[in-house]
Amino acid sequence: MTENVLIVNCYSDFSCLAHQPRGTEATSGLVTFKINTLTGELTKWNETKGPLNPSYMESLPQYKIAFTLTETILENGEIVGYKISENGEPIEVCRQSAEGRSSCYLIFDRNKTHALVNNYWDSVLSVFPVNQENGFIESVVSKYAPMEGIAARTREEHLIHRQSEPHNHCIELDPVHDRIAFVPDLGKDCVHQFIYAPDEKTGVYTLFHCGSIKSSPKETQRSGPRYITFHPKLKVAYVVNELSSTVSVFEFDSDAAKNLKIGETNSTLKFVQEVSTIPEGFTSKNTCGRVAVHKSGKFVLSSNRGHDSISVHKVDQENGQLSIVGVYLTEGQTPRHFAFDVSGNFVIPANQDSDNITVFRIDQETGVLTFTGYKQSVNSPNFVFA
């Protein structure tokens, strides 16, 4: 099979976002494409209006459902499930409140019994059961909200208060025990750790806060941790820091993660390295978007919004530390997100502010990115799901 499906999520209403895109509001929030896994050629397949500002997307392949989150600071977001029809049209099959505002990250636990959702604006973390018969996400069973309140009520106030209040951006479970949830907090410059386990009294899966880890050892630097991801083989985690344009490398202590008890704050991550995502000498404004590890485990990629590029770092296969391969312009503006196609041969950036997605071939041995010449126009793309 030489073709696979991509789903591109697009912003449809800029007025209710925490940030201000500079592209064009989309009339179709969900657009499907086919990608040729030999050449990288993109073919537009279908589209639908979709929900308000569809953003992050994750799937339950066994049910053939892809779930997107809606992003708005004015009301609670939603989790909306879609199946792709034979002609490529996303068809809505279920909908559930995300129980927080500006919903931006969704994962499933290892057994696919629960979904965990992060909401950026109010930093609420929500846990939802998955209906095992149809794959639909059911009503929330537990929530975690930070003790500190959120002062900002508007986008303008947010820009003033962003670094003085919590703003969680991501949630990931550890790859060994599926027990420790890591939550980068852009506002508080740290990565929170939670125990994800059933409550002893109720039996309900719950997130118990167990301390936090600085995303960078530089006390004078505002890092703004955004995403965390793990190496597929090594016990190593990578955190992309939005404000400092860096990636922090951590050793993951699986024994500490296994033995951590509720109420304890022993760190399960140990900082070992920090590398830049932008070229030396670049002094204009830049903020990082996504970080991801290639499925081979050989390379870590990060997107730069401002330099408008993707940085590629080679992974030392002994200790997980990084060395630069290169920084490659994405043929567009503000790559908020990017994805690898299922073959691992291609990287597809979502260039939010130039209204396009582009395709790069990644050399499997060196990590070098080469533009294929293939691109497609799509308004305000913010996420590529492959």
Side-chain angles (χ1 to χ4, degrees):
M1 184 176 180
T2 58
E3 282 190 328
N4 286 104
V5 178
L6 302 179
I7 305 174
V8 179
N9 293 4
C10 309
Y11 287 133
S12 54
D13 184 351
F14 296 170
S15 68
C16 57
L17 294 171
H19 56 98
Q20 180 62 62
R22 300 190 304 273
T24 306
E25 288 184 345
T27 54
S28 296
L30 297 172
V31 185
T32 57
F33 292 87
K34 291 183 179 180
I35 183 170
N36 185 304
T37 56
L38 298 179
T39 66
E41 183 177 6
L42 286 174
T43 304
K44 186 175 178 180
W45 195 15
N46 213 320
E47 60 190 339
T48 190
K49 180 180 179 180
L52 173 69
N53 290 333
S55 57
Y56 197 90
M57 181 169 272
E58 188 53 270
S59 71
L60 287 174
Q62 64 271 43
Y63 300 103
K64 297 182 179 180
I65 302 176
F67 296 90
T68 190
L69 300 175
T70 66
E71 191 173 330
T72 171
I73 66 175
L74 302 181
E75 59 189 9
N76 282 352
E78 293 182 305
I79 312 163
V80 189
Y82 286 87
K83 290 189 175 184
I84 305 301
S85 71
E86 291 183 357
N87 67 353
E89 181 183 3
I91 304 296
E92 182 179 330
V93 294
C94 58
R95 187 179 289 241
Q96 187 63 251
S97 172
E99 299 294 330
R101 300 188 181 195
S102 202
S103 308
C104 65
Y105 213 91
L106 163 69
I107 61 170
F108 295 97
D109 59 16
R110 184 173 296 162
N111 293 327
K112 313 302 182 188
T113 60
H114 290 81
L116 290 75
V117 171
N118 177 75
N119 299 283
Y120 171 80
W121 188 255
D122 47 20
S123 286
V124 171
L125 303 171
S126 308
V127 180
F128 305 83
V130 175
N131 185 303
Q132 296 301 292
E133 292 186 4
N134 56 25
F136 293 0
I137 292 176
E138 299 182 335
S139 299
V140 68
V141 291
S142 66
K143 292 194 294 185
Y144 174 87
M147 298 295 290
E148 301 173 63
I150 307 300
R153 294 294 177 269
T154 65
R155 180 191 295 150
E156 292 71 26
E157 290 179 356
H158 170 61
L159 296 177
I160 297 171
H161 294 290
R162 183 171 65 168
Q163 292 306 114
S164 62
E165 59 189 18
H167 284 295
N168 299 335
H169 221 303
C170 161
I171 184 168
E172 287 286 354
L173 287 165
D174 81 82
V176 178
H177 309 291
D178 206 43
R179 179 175 186 263
I180 305 299
F182 295 98
V183 179
D185 185 338
L186 185 147
K188 290 300 184 180
D189 268 348
C190 66
V191 179
H192 299 289
Q193 60 180 17
F194 295 80
I195 290 177
Y196 168 66
D199 183 278
E200 289 185 357
K201 294 181 179 179
T202 65
V204 170
Y205 269 87
T206 304
L207 291 163
F208 301 93
H209 191 251
C210 292
S212 61
I213 306 104
K214 291 288 292 183
S215 63
S216 170
K218 299 176 182 177
E219 295 295 331
T220 59
Q221 172 181 286
R222 288 187 169 183
S223 299
R226 181 180 175 91
Y227 285 159
I228 184 171
T229 191
F230 286 84
H231 193 275
K233 300 173 185 176
L234 303 173
K235 293 178 181 179
V236 176
Y238 302 97
V239 175
V240 68
N241 297 303
E242 177 175 331
L243 303 182
S244 61
S245 299
T246 59
V247 173
S248 296
V249 184
F250 293 87
E251 293 177 356
F252 171 60
D253 188 334
S254 62
D255 289 335
K258 179 180 179 180
N259 297 319
L260 187 67
K261 294 179 174 59
I262 294 172
E264 295 180 345
T265 59
N266 304 328
S267 177
T268 59
L269 296 178
K270 177 186 176 183
F271 176 88
V272 294
Q273 186 191 26
E274 187 174 59
V275 297
S276 177
T277 66
I278 52 178
E280 187 176 351
F282 182 78
T283 57
S284 299
K285 182 180 179 181
N286 185 76
T287 59
C288 286
R290 190 189 188 199
V291 64
V293 186
H294 189 267
K295 67 180 183 178
S296 67
K298 293 180 179 180
F299 310 106
V300 170
L301 279 65
S302 311
S303 63
N304 293 305
R305 302 173 295 175
H307 188 257
D308 296 334
S309 60
I310 289 179
S311 67
V312 181
H313 286 86
K314 185 176 182 179
V315 178
D316 185 308
Q317 296 302 301
E318 295 295 324
N319 58 27
Q321 294 190 34
L322 303 178
S323 57
I324 189 67
V325 172
V327 183
Y328 304 92
L329 299 180
T330 61
E331 303 291 329
Q333 297 175 16
T334 319
R336 185 175 184 85
H337 189 262
F338 64 88
F340 299 106
D341 82 307
V342 293
S343 73
N345 291 323
F346 299 101
V347 180
I348 306 100
N351 297 306
Q352 173 189 287
D353 291 337
S354 55
D355 295 338
N356 68 349
I357 58 174
T358 48
V359 183
F360 290 77
R361 183 181 292 275
I362 181 169
D363 188 293
Q364 303 293 305
E365 297 302 318
T366 66
V368 169
L369 299 186
T370 304
F371 180 47
T372 62
Y374 296 119
K375 64 170 64 177
Q376 283 278 349
S377 296
V378 55
N379 288 351
S380 199
N382 67 71
F383 194 93
V384 178
F385 181 75

